[in-house]
Amino acid sequence: MDHVADAHRTDLMTVTRYVLNEQSRHPEARGDFTILLSHIVLGCKFVCTAVNKAGLAKLIGLAGETNVQGEEQKKLDVLSNEVFVKALVSSGRTCILVSEEDEEATFVDPRLRGKYCVVFDPLDGSSNIDCGVSIGTIFGVYMVDKDLDNISLDDVLQPGKNMLAAGYCMYGSSCTLVISTGYGVNGFTLDPSLGEFILTHPDIKIPKKGKIYSVNEGNAKNWDGPTAKFVEKCKFPTDGSSPKSLRYIGSMVADVHRTLLYGGIFLYPADKKSPNGKLRVLYEVFPMSFLMEQAGGQAFTGKERALDLVPTKIHQRSPIFLGSYDDVEEIKALYAAEQK
């Protein structure tokens, strides 16, 4: 990479320009989706700034309330949630919002409604704020194709394959926005001097097979057979290949980001303690599975393709195995063998 040349580039592909280019694929488009995404991007920039100065601004401590998942809420969680809800409502393009932090879905005032439903986790991995580990925002977008006066929760309880777009923004050593509108995956990095997200990772493709596995091995004693066998095989391969490396951050956005760029597999299986898995379907499993498939990987729940799952509750959980195509094939084969 020629950093000197990069520093003098004048033809910059910003996220706004990218989305407008995507819009031209749809001659019937009126720019609603572009406006919605620009509000999501604004929310990401705001949260990025808040995360960067959290220690100084005393935003790190607990807010004193507990969210619907039973997790103690941190001030930054509360702030991030408010920012995204207000940004999405004020866009005038949304009708239903589902946030990890809110027990009930938000139905937008009929006067401000648009045709999109947005599901999001405003600050994933927030237990890592205090120690400076990467955290992030995850989001997914659905479209409602009916009269906006008659919307219901069913309009957002759709399988992941119906998503129109998905992405995440990671707040780490740099602020990185990874997004897909159904035509591949692109990564943008925030240039603080411009206040703009610039295309730095065009057309991300995950390697077909990886050398890394990512799982919380502290739960090993509660795993089911296929997961235990798969992890054993990662550590002690029987085919003479080198063992895989273990990398686990404990912040889904950071773990999935590394998996997307370097290949390998990310696992959060069901176990005896959490028989339905731990990660939430609508705003964690679906957006990340959507991105993985768009990048040439796979996502599997232990029973089916992750994006085929039809959720019945907004905070429903599911096991998830996602990453490089061949690595997910291996875990699928182990589950298939157990079914027999």
Side-chain angles (χ1 to χ4, degrees):
M1 192 171 180
D2 187 346
H3 292 287
V4 177
D6 273 3
H8 295 288
R9 270 194 312 167
T10 50
D11 184 25
L12 298 173
M13 176 64 82
T14 65
V15 69
T16 312
R17 182 174 156 195
Y18 162 77
V19 173
L20 285 168
N21 285 356
E22 289 295 299
Q23 188 184 313
S24 63
R25 290 176 186 264
H26 305 277
E28 74 288 358
R30 300 206 330 270
D32 288 346
F33 185 60
T34 306
I35 291 167
L36 173 66
L37 275 175
S38 71
H39 280 74
I40 291 173
V41 167
L42 178 65
C44 292
K45 288 178 186 173
F46 189 102
V47 175
C48 178
T49 305
V51 167
N52 285 341
K53 62 185 183 198
L56 297 170
K58 291 282 184 287
L59 289 167
I60 277 177
L62 296 173
E65 296 169 26
T66 301
N67 73 3
V68 286
Q69 317 300 337
E71 301 165 337
E72 287 186 310
Q73 263 186 310
K74 299 218 162 186
K75 288 180 186 170
L76 262 176
D77 289 21
V78 183
L79 179 76
S80 306
N81 192 43
E82 281 179 15
V83 165
F84 275 101
V85 170
K86 285 174 179 166
L88 292 166
V89 170
S90 67
S91 73
R93 301 298 184 275
T94 58
C95 53
I96 309 173
L97 309 179
V98 173
S99 166
E100 193 235 15
E101 299 294 340
D102 296 329
E103 194 160 354
E104 304 292 336
T106 301
F107 287 85
V108 178
D109 182 321
R111 290 167 304 169
L112 292 169
R113 271 182 199 168
K115 60 186 176 183
Y116 298 107
C117 300
V118 182
V119 292
F120 60 99
D121 185 344
L123 204 60
D124 181 71
S126 53
S127 60
N128 287 316
I129 295 166
D130 295 12
C131 59
V133 168
S134 295
I135 51 182
T137 299
I138 310 172
F139 61 89
V141 181
Y142 290 106
M143 188 162 84
V144 175
D145 203 8
K146 67 192 245 193
D147 179 15
L148 296 176
D149 290 330
N150 298 320
I151 54 168
S152 70
L153 216 46
D154 289 341
D155 294 310
V156 82
L157 293 172
Q158 299 187 52
K161 63 185 176 190
N162 293 354
M163 267 186 179
L164 206 64
Y168 60 81
C169 188
M170 186 174 73
Y171 316 111
S173 54
S174 58
C175 181
T176 311
L177 177 69
V178 175
I179 191 167
S180 173
T181 54
Y183 299 96
V185 183
N186 289 279
F188 300 81
T189 303
L190 183 64
D191 181 337
S193 63
L194 294 173
E196 286 280 6
F197 280 101
I198 307 297
L199 182 65
T200 49
H201 297 75
D203 196 21
I204 298 169
K205 290 279 179 254
I206 186 169
K208 196 156 185 291
K209 191 172 175 64
K211 297 176 180 168
I212 297 170
Y213 72 105
S214 184
V215 66
N216 182 354
E217 289 220 40
N219 295 330
K221 76 180 178 95
N222 296 317
W223 286 344
D224 62 12
T227 302
K229 278 181 194 157
F230 179 79
V231 171
E232 186 71 7
K233 204 171 156 195
C234 288
K235 295 195 274 197
F236 304 101
T238 50
D239 59 1
S241 61
S242 299
K244 289 190 189 313
S245 296
L246 170 65
R247 297 280 183 275
Y248 186 71
I249 298 164
S251 175
M252 190 193 191
V253 172
D255 279 313
V256 171
H257 186 66
R258 184 202 54 248
T259 305
L260 198 57
L261 296 184
Y262 299 164
I265 186 166
F266 170 82
L267 312 81
Y268 211 119
D271 58 32
K272 290 174 195 148
K273 212 166 55 175
S274 310
N276 297 318
K278 194 86 181 283
L279 298 176
R280 273 70 58 140
V281 174
L282 272 181
Y283 41 80
E284 290 176 330
V285 170
F286 279 171
M288 294 310 201
S289 301
F290 185 91
L291 290 168
M292 272 304 160
E293 286 201 3
Q294 285 292 322
Q298 287 196 82
F300 177 64
T301 66
K303 291 183 179 148
E304 61 186 324
R305 174 190 175 212
L307 293 180
D308 287 340
L309 185 63
V310 182
T312 54
K313 298 196 292 284
I314 60 171
H315 296 297
Q316 187 173 324
R317 298 172 190 258
S318 167
I320 187 66
F321 306 86
L322 51 78
S324 294
Y325 193 93
D326 289 356
D327 292 326
V328 178
E329 275 299 306
E330 275 185 49
I331 195 97
K332 280 164 78 173
L334 290 166
Y335 273 99
E338 192 186 52
Q339 297 301 315
K340 290 176 189 170

